[in-house]
Amino acid sequence: MSSANNSKGVPYILKLVIGLVLMFGGMYLSVQKPEFMSFQESLEKSGIPLDLGKTVAIIGVFLILTPLLDLFFFKPLQESITNRTTELEGTFTEAENLRSEMTRMKTEYEDRLARTEAEAREQIQSQIKEAQDLKKQLMADAQAKADQLRKEAEVEIANQKKQALTELRVHVATLSLQATEKILQANVDTDRNRKLIDDFLTTVEAKN
Amino acid sequence: MGDLLHLGTTLLAEGGAEHGAAHHGANFVGLMVYLVAIIGVVVYLLADAKKGLNNRYFTRWTTQRLEQLYLFVENMAVGIIGAHGRKYIPMVMTLWLLIFFGNLTALFFATSPTADLSFNLGLALIAVFYVQWEGMRANGVGGHFKHFAGPKLSGALMILTPMIFIIELVSEMMKNLSLSLRLYGNIDGGHKAAEAMNELGKSAYVPFGAFLMPLKLMTCVVQALIFTLLFCVYLSLVTHADHGDAHGEAHAH
């Protein structure tokens, strides 16, 4: 800011020249004490110690010194302070941006987490349902197989029973005939006797 | 070498001026020696502080102190003059440093630049004429001098306008005197008071004047502050209208 103002104002070289002229002019006035400065003596007698030569020289020194100090220190200091402020503002802005980014990422992560959890839950439910269906199907299959085996066993049992009864009947008939033959010691028509025994046995079965 | 010795004896002679005689401070060469020494110290401090400048934070002691001073002056300039007061900081800082170190010299040496009315008048003339220059830049030459005529009056009251103009002109000229005499009176008065108190304890070999050191140290700071503060106020009075700062309205004529 100050550089801009300096550039608009009196150039430094001109200030330097004017300053040097004033310095040497002031020195001349102070050392030589020309006639027109004699009023200073009367002022000094009145208790006012004034040396306008020094005053003029000081103005010259100040004209040289101010821009010099500005260029040498004040401007670099101002630039450093401005840069620091800019950097701090930049850092704060960056931190703010990072914070916003972090918040956004956190929200995104939470959303993703919630979505993943929901998906996992859904998958688990689906697997459970599938397992339950499979269990039901397996149980139904096992039940059907068991029923079929039982039916087959029943049929087998019935067949076996029937066969056993038939064999038993034949055996009993044979035994009865042999017994009867031995008891009667007679030659009896075997076919006719067998028919009688069969009838007897049928009668017995019917009773049973 | 002989010249230097002559200079040294001259300085001592000036410092130990007889009581009753007007205190004239150092002669031209003596004043310049003091001034060169002060400027040397200031430049040394600034150069040391400059080494610690960076774009992060300043760790060097001198840089930190000068930054604080700079920010203090900036706050003062912006607070009194307004936002455009920043452009006057180099001027205010230079005045502050010269006056403060000039005042500090008065604590350790027989005389000091700010105990010299001519030196102070030089600073006051710079301040007042710079204010007029800035006033003319801000309001134009006509506008600036119109300022001195006070508010626009009508009828019989118009006769007051030239009177106000003259009074304002005299008032502007008197600012030179008030600025220079205040500083001169305080610093030279401090010397006189210390000398008088030393005289009291002379028989007992007790430098009573040394007890005034804290007060004189405070005066060093306060006088530098007052001079630069008034400079800012004068600048504010002549430049506030141009920039329309709300702050400056309170300081209208």
Side-chain angles (χ1 to χ4, degrees):
Chain A
M1 185 172 278
S2 57
S3 62
N5 287 302
N6 281 347
S7 62
K8 283 181 200 167
V10 184
Y12 181 59
I13 189 76
L14 186 62
K15 285 182 187 173
L16 184 70
V17 171
I18 296 172
L20 286 172
V21 168
L22 288 174
M23 272 176 69
F24 286 107
M27 186 170 70
Y28 171 78
L29 291 176
S30 184
V31 176
Q32 295 298 322
K33 296 198 190 318
E35 193 63 34
F36 64 89
M37 302 289 277
S38 57
F39 69 93
Q40 289 181 164
E41 286 172 22
S42 52
L43 277 176
E44 193 164 348
K45 280 175 190 165
S46 313
I48 303 171
L50 194 64
D51 182 350
L52 286 178
K54 288 184 200 171
T55 305
V56 172
I58 293 306
I59 295 172
V61 170
F62 197 85
L63 273 178
I64 298 168
L65 191 65
T66 306
L68 197 71
L69 292 186
D70 186 30
L71 282 172
F72 178 67
F73 185 73
F74 302 140
K75 207 175 286 178
L77 176 66
Q78 181 60 53
E79 275 170 16
S80 287
I81 292 171
T82 309
N83 288 343
R84 187 177 59 189
T85 310
T86 312
E87 197 169 320
L88 276 175
E89 281 171 357
T91 309
F92 279 125
T93 311
E94 199 179 336
E96 193 61 35
N97 289 342
L98 282 171
R99 202 164 70 101
S100 305
E101 178 71 11
M102 197 187 72
T103 311
R104 191 187 62 75
M105 283 174 73
K106 190 183 166 198
T107 312
E108 198 178 298
Y109 167 75
E110 283 172 352
D111 286 349
R112 200 186 295 171
L113 193 70
R115 216 165 38 240
T116 310
E117 277 177 0
E119 278 174 13
R121 212 165 28 244
E122 202 175 314
Q123 270 191 346
I124 289 166
Q125 291 299 326
S126 154
Q127 293 293 326
I128 289 171
K129 191 171 179 297
E130 202 175 320
Q132 282 174 343
D133 289 348
L134 188 63
K135 180 188 161 192
K136 276 179 191 170
Q137 194 184 342
L138 283 172
M139 283 184 73
D141 288 351
Q143 187 66 39
K145 203 171 181 181
D147 286 348
Q148 192 188 349
L149 284 171
R150 197 179 67 219
K151 277 178 188 168
E152 282 174 6
E154 281 173 358
V155 170
E156 182 76 13
I157 289 164
N159 289 339
Q160 291 291 328
K161 186 179 172 185
K162 197 174 175 181
Q163 194 183 346
L165 281 172
T166 307
E167 284 177 2
L168 187 65
R169 181 184 286 176
V170 172
H171 194 64
V172 168
T174 306
L175 284 174
S176 298
L177 281 174
Q178 287 174 352
T180 306
E181 267 179 13
K182 281 180 180 176
I183 292 167
L184 294 177
Q185 298 270 325
N187 191 16
V188 186
D189 187 357
T190 309
D191 290 333
R192 197 169 163 255
N193 291 336
R194 187 172 296 272
K195 191 177 177 306
L196 286 171
I197 291 163
D198 282 341
D199 291 341
F200 169 73
L201 287 173
T202 307
T203 309
V204 173
E205 279 178 3
K207 281 180 183 175
N208 287 330
Chain B
M1 192 67 187
D3 288 344
L4 279 175
L5 282 172
H6 174 70
L7 179 67
T9 49
T10 309
L11 286 173
L12 288 172
E14 295 282 2
E18 282 180 23
H19 298 297
H23 198 284
H24 199 284
N27 62 14
F28 184 85
V29 180
L31 179 69
M32 284 300 145
V33 168
Y34 273 113
L35 202 54
V36 166
I38 289 168
I39 292 171
V41 169
V42 168
V43 169
Y44 172 77
L45 286 174
L46 296 186
D48 191 59
K50 198 177 178 183
K51 286 179 196 163
L53 288 181
N54 55 55
N55 292 340
R56 286 187 171 274
Y57 55 92
F58 307 146
T59 49
R60 209 177 183 84
W61 189 86
T62 44
T63 317
Q64 288 177 340
R65 299 293 87 79
L66 278 160
E67 186 205 5
Q68 286 169 353
L69 176 65
Y70 186 88
L71 293 177
F72 170 75
V73 168
E74 187 185 32
N75 283 337
M76 185 173 74
V78 172
I80 295 171
I81 305 169
H84 65 286
R86 280 196 179 83
K87 68 179 176 183
Y88 305 117
I89 292 174
M91 181 93 173
V92 181
M93 275 292 285
T94 310
L95 277 173
W96 209 97
L97 288 170
L98 269 185
I99 295 170
F100 178 69
F101 282 98
N103 293 347
L104 275 189
T105 314
L107 297 182
F108 307 106
F109 296 97
T111 185
S112 80
T114 47
D116 191 326
L117 183 60
S118 313
F119 178 89
N120 298 342
L121 184 63
L123 294 184
L125 282 170
I126 289 163
V128 172
F129 278 94
Y130 186 72
V131 166
Q132 305 310 316
W133 167 256
E134 283 299 311
M136 283 188 270
R137 278 181 69 185
N139 310 310
V141 179
H144 181 63
F145 283 102
K146 202 175 154 190
H147 235 80
F148 293 145
K152 198 172 181 181
L153 300 171
S154 57
L157 289 174
M158 274 181 75
I159 198 168
L160 292 175
T161 301
M163 287 168 69
I164 295 171
F165 185 81
I166 292 165
I167 289 168
E168 281 288 341
L169 269 184
V170 173
S171 159
E172 287 297 311
M173 291 298 111
M174 286 305 112
K175 282 176 183 172
N176 288 308
L177 279 183
S178 70
L179 283 173
S180 55
L181 280 174
R182 184 185 300 108
L183 187 55
Y184 167 70
N186 275 281
I187 304 304
D188 194 51
H191 265 138
K192 292 274 197 296
E195 277 173 19
M197 286 183 74
N198 281 339
E199 198 65 32
L200 277 176
K202 199 174 178 180
S203 55
Y205 299 102
V206 180
F208 283 125
F211 296 123
L212 283 177
M213 284 290 265
L215 192 65
K216 287 177 79 175
L217 182 63
M218 197 178 74
T219 310
C220 292
V221 181
V222 170
Q223 287 308 311
L225 177 67
I226 288 176
F227 196 101
T228 48
L229 188 87
L230 286 172
F231 176 58
C232 289
V233 171
Y234 297 154
L235 274 172
S236 159
L237 290 174
V238 295
T239 60
H240 74 277
D242 179 50
H243 296 272
D245 293 335
H247 173 83
E249 300 298 322
H251 297 296
H253 279 288

